[in-house]
Amino acid sequence: MGLETKPLSTLHEKVSYNVEDFPVPTGREEEWRFTPLSRLKGLHDGAAAAGGVLVHVDAAPEVTVETVGRDDPRLGKAYVPADRVSAQAFAVFEKATVLTVAREAVASKPTVITLTGSGAGAAYGHILVKLEPMAEAVFVLDHQGSAVYADNVEFVVGEGATLKVISLQDWADDAVHVSHHHALLGKDATFRSFVVTLGGDLVRLSPSVSYSGPGGDADLTGLYFVDAGQHMEHRLLVDHSQPNCKSNVTYKGALQGEDAHAVWIGDVIIRVEAEGTDTYELNRNLLLTDGARADSVPNLEILTGEVAGAGHASASGRLDDEHIFYLQARGIPFDDARRLVIRGFFAQLLEKIELPELRERVLGKVEAELEK
Amino acid sequence: MSDSSRVRSGSTLEIRDLHVAVEDKEILRGVNLTVRSGETHAIMGPNGSGKSTLAYAIAGHPKYTVTGGQVLLDGVDLLELSVDARARAGLFLAMQYPVEVPGVSVSNFLRSAVTSVRGEAPKLREFAKDLKAGMDALSIDAAFAQRNLNEGFSGGEKKRHEILQLELLKPKIAVLDETDSGLDVDALRVVSEGINRFRASGETGVLLITHYTRILRYVKPDFVHVFAAGRIVEQGGPELADKLEAEGYEAYTKASV
């Protein structure tokens, strides 16, 4: 680290509901330096014209669905915006969707929230998913269509509750999406996040986790496939401020084509009071062609001497010639060998998607990308 | 077995004046060798003599550049073919260090390989039966089929898995690159039995590359070739192996420098 490098914990200190508290980014800021601002279509400076994203919820019977106005007091409690676009979205969204699972309720099927973009113009959204203590539920966020969309999604996981979320960014080619997903874990809460980013011109998704009691367990998995010209950015932040909590981050992506660009930032802070923390983060990028670029930046700041485990790994590379040779030497044609190895690269992640239909859909999408 | 109906006339692998370089350094300097079905040839030689280079160059590994010569399998020049086309033409290379491929299961890999080599997908039940028989014969635990290819396999497990592929794919010519290295006596016996089952049909040729004579007690060669400094420097019958056992490679390494 150079002398100019600020501690990680200080980078995330500034939070506010007020847009004006965040200057319009110029691209020189640490948190914006990888993002091509000119392609945000005005989401970052308020210049975007109004558009729409349709929110449709297919809920399990145990889940209460509400559409509420800006003034609902439950909104913005778990998460306070930490950058300009997030604050912008919070300042101007018109309706929020609140999904609640009552204490000890177990959702009998996944609740699917489909967000469909309806073309040009910006839209701002807000979703709150709240699991009361001991509740269990699976949620799917399915992003489709063409949109310029900024939103904040709050996941409040009550004491002993288990929340699993699959967020699929399956946008049309021209979509722009800047999103914050924040999970607040109560005592002994379990949170499983699976992010799949496949479509869109620019997707910048910032999943973050904080803990309000000990014993919380967060597992964040991500899979992305970046094509020519696409910018897909995932910015993880896990803030350990409670003792004996766990976090595990695994993001893997494949890139192919000219100017395919993936950015992965993995920030983990273990604060003084977070003794007994167990954390690991991993990012792997598979560069399938020339002209693709992956930036991968893991950051781990440990402020206590008493951790159970803390580590990170990051690697970006090409398909291993030796893998391909071995398969070809057994008669398997090059294209099939390549597909097998890439499928293998994602296999362990795909197994984590517990919904078979969704797993098949993601696998199908990955296969389709490989056919290009 | 499933392809007993396949009638195969004898096959011939002809290596003619083969020259191979790695990063502009010439490793093979004119190799001539003919292997016919029903024959087992042992290639022996000191480390660094180019034995493995010969194996990988025939199979088409991209690291090796062929600078001259031909490798004909039943008259077809393998050097003109892609790696996978060589395998489909009937060539098999058992590797010295089989690579680990994460996320690709053994059963998926084997089914893909068998499908490619036979030109059609095997019937699932038949394939499962063949696979189980092959694994049993090589004392491979059934759980291996679901494991990732070579991942976490011991040295002996990797070699047994190579021989399992040999028995399933039934090539015309098998090149075995130091399949004996790193094996304890029990594993060596199991692997040798597999090789012997494979060649028992009399329809296949074997090119066995080894540094040691130990495996030749289990897999009897018809011909022994001594490799030194990138070419064959002496040829004979099985008795040549006994001589090497007694005298080592010293005479050849000195002569070739």
Side-chain angles (χ1 to χ4, degrees), chain B:
Chain B
M1 293 289 257
S2 56
D3 77 341
S4 54
S5 59
R6 192 188 295 181
V7 178
R8 198 182 254 169
S9 53
S11 293
T12 307
L13 180 77
E14 276 182 88
I15 303 168
R16 291 184 185 164
D17 194 28
L18 186 65
H19 290 251
V20 174
V22 177
E23 287 164 3
D24 296 334
K25 184 171 186 282
E26 190 173 44
I27 307 287
L28 297 190
R29 304 189 295 166
V31 176
N32 291 286
L33 181 64
T34 298
V35 179
R36 294 184 179 82
S37 47
E39 297 176 352
T40 298
H41 293 245
I43 291 193
M44 305 192 63
N47 290 326
S49 58
K51 305 188 300 288
S52 284
T53 297
L54 176 65
Y56 281 89
I58 295 171
H61 192 287
K63 194 176 119 187
Y64 302 90
T65 309
V66 174
T67 52
Q70 284 182 308
V71 178
L72 304 172
L73 178 56
D74 295 337
V76 175
D77 193 348
L78 293 181
L79 302 180
E80 304 290 326
L81 303 180
S82 64
V83 174
D84 47 296
R86 294 179 200 199
R88 290 195 301 275
L91 179 77
F92 181 90
L93 168 63
M95 313 225 185
Q96 189 178 355
Y97 303 110
V99 68
E100 302 184 0
V101 188
V104 178
S105 74
V106 166
S107 67
N108 189 13
F109 162 72
L110 290 174
R111 210 171 48 241
S112 299
V114 167
T115 301
S116 299
V117 166
R118 293 188 193 163
E120 59 176 3
K123 291 203 175 62
L124 269 180
R125 274 180 63 188
E126 221 165 73
F127 175 73
K129 209 177 93 212
D130 286 357
L131 181 58
K132 186 175 185 313
M135 290 173 81
D136 285 350
L138 289 160
S139 307
I140 298 174
D141 190 286
F144 258 67
Q146 301 315 317
R147 288 177 63 179
N148 286 340
L149 189 48
N150 293 317
E151 210 173 65
F153 289 19
S154 70
E157 288 167 342
K158 283 181 182 171
K159 296 301 174 69
R160 274 186 271 177
H161 183 238
E162 292 293 289
I163 300 306
L164 173 64
Q165 295 169 51
L166 172 72
E167 293 196 75
L168 285 174
L169 296 176
K170 301 180 174 63
K172 295 174 183 168
I173 301 286
V175 180
L176 310 176
D177 184 24
E178 304 212 14
T179 295
D180 54 329
S181 68
L183 295 185
D184 61 31
V185 172
D186 286 342
L188 181 66
R189 206 189 55 244
V190 168
V191 159
S192 299
E193 285 167 6
I195 299 168
N196 287 334
R197 276 194 300 276
F198 166 71
R199 61 189 195 138
S201 70
E203 294 172 348
T204 58
V206 174
L207 185 56
L208 185 89
I209 293 172
T210 180
H211 183 78
Y212 304 104
T213 51
R214 192 176 59 149
I215 192 173
L216 303 183
R217 283 179 227 136
Y218 301 92
V219 181
K220 300 275 183 220
D222 303 299
F223 306 93
V224 174
H225 311 265
V226 181
F227 221 70
R231 54 164 72 100
I232 291 168
V233 292
E234 191 169 350
Q235 311 192 52
E239 73 288 347
L240 182 51
D242 300 332
K243 185 183 152 204
L244 291 170
E245 169 97 7
E247 297 173 12
Y249 296 116
E250 212 171 304
Y252 304 103
T253 47
K254 274 181 186 159
S256 62
V257 169

